[in-house]
Amino acid sequence: MYLDDAFRVKVGLAEMLKGGVIMDVTNAEQALIAEKAGAAAVMALERVPADIRKEGGVARMAPIRKIREIMAAVSIPVMAKARIGHFMEARILEALAIDYIDESEVLTPADEEHHIDKRDYKVPFVCGARNLGEALRRIAEGAAMIRTKGEAGSGNIVEAVRHMRTIVKEMRQLTVLGPEELVAESKKLAAPLELVQYVAKHGKLPVPNFSAGGIATPADASLVMHLGAEAVFVGSGIFKSDDPEARARAIVKATTYYKDPAKLLEASEELGMGMPGLDVSKLDESELLQTRGW
Amino acid sequence: MKRIGVLALQGDFEAHRKALEEAGAEAVEVRTAEELERVDGLVIPGGESTTMLKLLRLEGLFEPLRAFGERRPIFGTCAGAILLARDVANPPQESLGLVDIGVERNAYGRQVDSRVARVPLAEENGGGEMEAVFIRAPIIRRVGEGVRVLARYNGDPVLVAQGRHLVATFHPELSRDRRVHQLFLGNGQ
């Protein structure tokens, strides 16, 4: 099931995005800035997570007219977000021939029990995860890319770090277990045995694992790359800063040269203030985006 | 054993590193001009050509890479094919111009048009069929003199060679078949 041609093509695009930065944009002008700065893809959305947080209300799929403008403006892949469980927003995005759909906890969930059955789409999906069980359930539903959730719109890297460390550690632990222990583990993770066995054998997910939710500086990007991210999503961090163009460029450079402190210093040198951040531990449970999705 | 670099600015460089090792080479990641000096050949992987171009310019790697190509073999897949081409369309963009071909970016369409195909391989390269994974792939619209077409899909060249360089519009690194990487390692021997 996981190695058929249709699925390989979906994972293939995720492979091409590795080592890159996927930037949230809300219009064609921002998309062009992102492309010019070296973004590997852009994510079209109605409002960046920091604004969704501030303004409240129901956050939905972006207006189609906006997404079309963005698709027409740039030659790099364009992704868009659909609400968790909203399989018709996803169908509309597929009809639009979007390159990737993010079934995202940043938008207001449409279904509090079910995620989209993603296997049935021609367009690939990316989903958020906080731990290995969540990641494997999303892959079982057909996700061709996982991104750790972090806490979107917070400008605070702490949750992105927690989620990446959790998944990497849980994967490592599986590699030392015996076959009968994996059966028990599969039950505990609430994930298919076949996927648990894959992770135990390879020490990694069967799809690329990117990082999201709180990346605001070149240092943040290089930190999550060191912890095991294969690429990064930057949401509010760029267009909520004082210097979107320079910051976008700097984060691209930091993601490529994450092992090279001298290059990271160069990337950080000219930047002003980042986006204002939030102390995630002070947020009320109901204000957290990461707890959406099951 | 040949020491082959994989340009690791962005893209599926990890898949190429593994493919090269399976094909019998020592593979190393290349991100700087100094690292480029220490390899016998280079792979430019798949990824986003605009991102790679941006970093090549920003890091002063563009000219060293072109000079490297004057002496040593380069194998470009997809984004790598676009960077090696002489002319690029849709939209036009700068390139190294080391192989005399004209390419059109994203020529099959968007991701929904990405596909896995089987293409016949020329007799002198082993013949038979080969799997070809196309991801938002370019199409080679023009082939200059001295460029050899090694495989076609739907009539368009998808694997071509000129002198020491090799170009694929698809991703042999995403298939199990290592013949294309072996072909590259045979170049310039």
Side-chain angles (χ1 to χ4, degrees):
Chain A
M1 149 191 188
Y2 299 105
L3 286 175
D4 66 11
D5 286 355
F7 194 67
R8 287 175 60 210
V9 163
K10 293 177 179 180
V11 175
L13 181 54
E15 293 284 337
M16 297 312 138
L17 298 173
K18 281 186 179 176
V21 183
I22 300 141
M23 301 182 191
D24 276 6
V25 298
T26 57
N27 56 46
E29 186 194 346
Q30 289 182 353
L32 282 167
I33 291 174
E35 182 177 54
K36 219 173 135 222
V42 291
M43 174 77 72
L45 72 177
E46 188 184 23
R47 296 176 280 172
V48 293
D51 287 335
I52 293 174
R53 203 175 268 294
K54 202 157 57 184
E55 295 160 14
V58 174
R60 312 180 180 94
M61 172 179 78
I64 295 302
R65 185 173 44 81
K66 284 277 179 207
I67 305 177
R68 274 199 193 282
E69 274 174 30
I70 291 166
M71 287 167 75
V74 296
S75 64
I76 53 179
V78 179
M79 306 186 179
K81 289 182 192 286
R83 282 177 268 180
I84 290 174
H86 206 318
F87 53 86
M88 289 318 292
E89 279 189 347
R91 283 291 178 209
I92 292 168
L93 290 171
E94 181 179 51
L96 182 64
I98 199 84
D99 293 306
Y100 240 95
I101 298 174
D102 184 0
E103 186 185 17
S104 177
E105 71 283 1
V106 169
L107 305 187
T108 312
D111 188 324
E112 295 190 335
E113 261 179 79
H114 311 98
H115 280 256
I116 300 170
D117 177 9
K118 296 168 274 285
R119 292 169 298 184
D120 192 31
Y121 290 72
K122 197 139 195 263
V123 173
F125 279 76
V126 51
C127 284
R130 285 169 301 167
N131 52 53
L132 184 58
E134 222 177 329
L136 295 182
R137 287 194 294 279
R138 296 296 85 79
I139 296 166
E141 292 157 359
M145 181 204 300
I146 291 297
R147 54 169 179 75
T148 48
K149 286 178 174 173
E151 186 57 31
S154 71
N156 187 338
I157 198 67
V158 68
E159 296 300 303
V161 167
R162 189 191 320 281
H163 299 159
M164 188 54 74
R165 278 203 185 273
T166 302
I167 290 184
V168 169
K169 181 173 157 194
E170 288 178 316
M171 291 197 293
R172 213 177 279 150
Q173 284 168 341
L174 286 188
T175 63
V176 296
L177 298 184
E180 64 279 26
E181 291 171 310
L182 292 178
V183 177
E185 204 57 33
S186 150
K187 192 175 162 191
K188 233 189 282 171
L189 290 167
L193 178 60
E194 190 190 354
L195 288 175
V196 173
Q197 287 166 332
Y198 180 97
V199 173
K201 185 172 169 200
H202 298 92
K204 62 195 290 287
L205 298 177
V207 304
N209 185 20
F210 294 3
S211 175
I215 296 157
T217 68
D220 289 347
S222 61
L223 177 64
V224 292
M225 290 295 286
H226 267 285
L227 292 174
E230 295 177 293
V232 301
F233 282 83
V234 185
S236 320
I238 289 169
F239 290 99
K240 283 287 153 189
S241 72
D242 294 342
D243 43 9
E245 288 183 62
R247 188 163 297 262
R249 241 185 352 256
I251 293 177
V252 168
K253 177 164 170 161
T255 304
T256 294
Y257 293 100
Y258 71 95
K259 291 181 199 156
D260 185 339
K263 294 270 192 196
L264 294 171
L265 173 63
E266 275 174 29
S268 310
E269 203 85 63
E270 313 249 311
L271 297 182
M273 288 292 283
M275 67 178 282
L278 294 172
D279 182 346
V280 180
S281 65
K282 301 255 163 56
L283 291 179
D284 192 72
E285 176 73 23
S286 67
E287 296 175 280
L288 293 177
L289 300 176
Q290 59 176 273
T291 51
R292 296 165 164 184
W294 10 93
Chain B
M1 191 191 275
K2 279 193 179 176
R3 187 178 157 91
I4 306 294
V6 184
L7 190 67
L9 299 178
Q10 192 272 321
D12 71 337
F13 49 85
E14 177 65 27
H16 268 293
R17 202 177 55 71
K18 280 201 196 112
L20 284 165
E21 281 167 3
E22 285 169 18
E26 182 195 351
V28 294
E29 293 178 0
V30 167
R31 290 184 178 81
T32 62
E34 298 74 59
E35 289 168 342
L36 190 58
E37 283 310 308
R38 297 196 288 264
V39 296
D40 305 317
L42 186 78
V43 171
I44 306 181
E48 285 308 313
S49 60
T50 52
T51 304
M52 292 184 204
L53 199 54
K54 179 81 202 171
L55 285 161
L56 287 176
R57 278 296 183 198
L58 204 65
E59 299 303 315
L61 269 169
F62 191 89
E63 290 307 331
L65 193 52
R66 179 149 39 202
F68 179 88
E70 301 292 341
R71 300 176 275 121
R72 301 257 160 83
I74 302 183
F75 172 28
T77 62
C78 198
I82 295 166
L83 289 175
L84 286 174
R86 185 143 308 159
D87 339 287
V88 181
N90 188 36
Q93 71 185 32
E94 193 179 23
S95 57
L96 295 164
L98 289 164
V99 177
D100 188 13
I101 53 174
V103 300
E104 180 187 340
R105 292 182 58 205
N106 299 326
Y108 294 94
R110 305 194 71 94
Q111 171 64 12
V112 289
D113 304 298
S114 292
R115 67 196 73 181
V116 180
R118 267 92 202 158
V119 301
L121 196 59
E123 280 305 323
E124 67 265 33
N125 299 309
E129 274 203 334
M130 183 179 52
E131 182 185 83
V133 181
F134 294 94
I135 309 283
R136 285 172 48 95
I139 290 181
I140 298 174
R141 295 293 188 196
R142 185 186 64 77
V143 175
E145 260 179 71
V147 176
R148 289 179 299 132
V149 176
L150 308 181
R152 290 178 187 272
Y153 169 62
N154 285 350
D156 297 310
V158 293
L159 180 66
V160 304
Q162 183 178 28
R164 59 182 86 79
H165 305 309
L166 186 65
V167 164
T169 59
F170 58 96
H171 295 281
E173 72 279 14
L174 296 184
S175 297
R176 291 244 170 90
D177 193 333
R178 292 289 160 252
R179 281 181 292 174
V180 180
H181 284 84
Q182 281 158 355
L183 185 67
F184 176 62
L185 294 177
N187 276 3
Q189 253 177 0

